[in-house]
Amino acid sequence: MATECIIPAYSVLTDDQIRKINSACVPVKHRKGELLFGQDRPVSHLLYVKSGLIKIHRESTNNKTVIVKIVGPDRYLGLLSIFYDLKYQISATVIEESELVYINIQALKDLISENGQYGLKILEQSSKEGVYLLNKLSVFHQKQVPGRMAELLLSFSTEVYNNNEFTLPLSRQELADYVYSTKESVSRTLTEFKNDRMIDIEDRKVILKSIDLLKILSKLG
C-alpha cells in the first residue's frame, strides 16, 4: 500500500520521500482571527492549507492595509518568501476556522534537491502565485470599484465556495481593503448590484443572480 502524503506529492515522490516529508510536517488547527505570520518577520515554516480560509494582506507605506488575496484549501502560504530572503513579504490571518500543515523549510529544500520533478511542481506553484500578483497589480488596479467588486464576488463563487450562494468571509472594511476603496463605496456598490438584480444580499449572505452581467462588468471594469 502506498504511503499517504500529508502535503501534495504530485505523484512524483517515492514512499521513502513521503515518509521523510511527513515526519517534517505538523498539522495545526487555527481559530478565526489568528495571525499565522506577519510581514517582515523571519520565515519559520512553509504552510499548506488543508481546510478553511486565510486572508493574505500587506501594510503599505502609509500604514494602510491592503488585502492581496483570499486563500482556500490546497494552497501554500509563504511560498515566495522561502526562496527570497527568509522574511515574510506578507501577513496571513485566519478568517474561517482552518487546518494548516507546517512544513520544515530545510526538509522541503532537501526534498527539492533530491527530486527535481518535485522541485518543478513547487516552482509551478510559486510561479502561479507570482503571476496572480502581477495580474492584480496590472489589471485589477485599472478597474473601477464596480468592476473590482464584480470580479471579487465571482472569485468567491468559483474559486472559494464553488457555489453562487455564499456568506462573505470579509467585513465591508475588509472588502474595501481588497478592492482599494472605502467602506462607504463598497456598501454603495453592493446596493447598486442588488437594485440592478445582479445579486441578492442580506448582511453578508450573497446570492449571485446574474453571472453573465457580473462577468461583463468584471471584464469591462
Side-chain angles (χ1 to χ4, degrees):
M1 179 181 296
T3 304
E4 182 179 354
C5 195
I6 295 177
I7 61 174
Y10 303 115
S11 301
V12 298
L13 297 181
T14 66
D15 280 354
D16 184 56
Q17 289 169 339
I18 289 174
R19 283 190 288 269
K20 285 181 180 178
I21 197 63
N22 279 352
S23 68
C25 293
V26 180
V28 179
K29 292 184 178 180
H30 288 277
R31 295 179 179 177
K32 178 180 178 180
E34 288 189 57
L35 180 69
L36 298 174
F37 54 78
Q39 182 178 331
D40 295 327
R41 295 182 185 178
V43 174
S44 57
H45 294 79
L46 176 66
L47 274 61
Y48 176 74
V49 184
K50 293 284 285 186
S51 64
L53 285 180
I54 311 298
K55 175 178 70 175
I56 304 300
H57 50 105
R58 183 176 174 84
E59 301 300 320
S60 62
T61 53
N62 59 357
N63 293 322
K64 180 178 174 56
T65 298
V66 175
I67 296 179
V68 179
K69 63 178 177 177
I70 304 300
V71 178
D74 301 322
R75 296 290 187 272
Y76 289 101
L77 302 177
L79 195 55
L80 292 176
S81 299
I82 67 169
F83 297 112
Y84 183 52
D85 66 353
L86 289 183
K87 285 186 178 180
Y88 289 114
Q89 304 303 304
I90 52 177
S91 300
T93 300
V94 178
I95 56 176
E96 287 185 2
E97 185 172 313
S98 304
E99 181 177 3
L100 294 104
V101 177
Y102 285 68
I103 309 163
N104 180 277
I105 293 175
Q106 190 56 53
L108 178 67
K109 289 183 175 180
D110 290 344
L111 179 57
I112 290 172
S113 296
E114 182 180 325
N115 189 318
Q117 286 183 295
Y118 190 76
L120 287 174
K121 295 295 184 180
I122 293 296
L123 180 60
E124 181 180 308
Q125 297 302 312
S126 180
S127 297
K128 286 181 178 179
E129 185 172 336
V131 168
Y132 174 89
L133 295 176
L134 285 174
N135 285 339
K136 186 172 183 184
L137 286 173
S138 61
V139 179
F140 194 78
H141 183 70
Q142 297 176 18
K143 298 181 179 182
Q144 300 299 315
V145 174
R148 297 174 194 170
M149 282 302 303
E151 181 175 328
L152 180 56
L153 292 174
L154 289 169
S155 71
F156 280 140
S157 172
T158 60
E159 299 173 15
V160 177
Y161 296 108
N162 295 314
N163 199 314
N164 291 340
E165 299 184 26
F166 53 87
T167 299
L168 287 169
L170 303 176
S171 67
R172 295 295 190 270
Q173 183 57 57
E174 288 173 316
L175 290 173
D177 293 339
Y178 195 105
V179 299
Y180 311 127
S181 185
T182 64
K183 180 171 67 174
E184 292 76 18
S185 181
V186 163
S187 296
R188 183 167 57 252
T189 300
L190 290 173
T191 298
E192 290 171 354
F193 284 3
K194 181 177 181 179
N195 292 339
D196 292 337
R197 299 183 179 180
M198 288 189 285
I199 67 171
D200 270 341
I201 183 167
E202 187 66 37
D203 193 21
R204 293 194 185 189
K205 294 183 178 180
V206 178
I207 301 174
L208 304 190
K209 300 184 68 178
S210 181
I211 302 296
D212 289 341
L213 285 178
L214 287 169
K215 286 182 177 178
I216 291 171
L217 186 56
S218 173
K219 184 176 181 179
L220 297 178

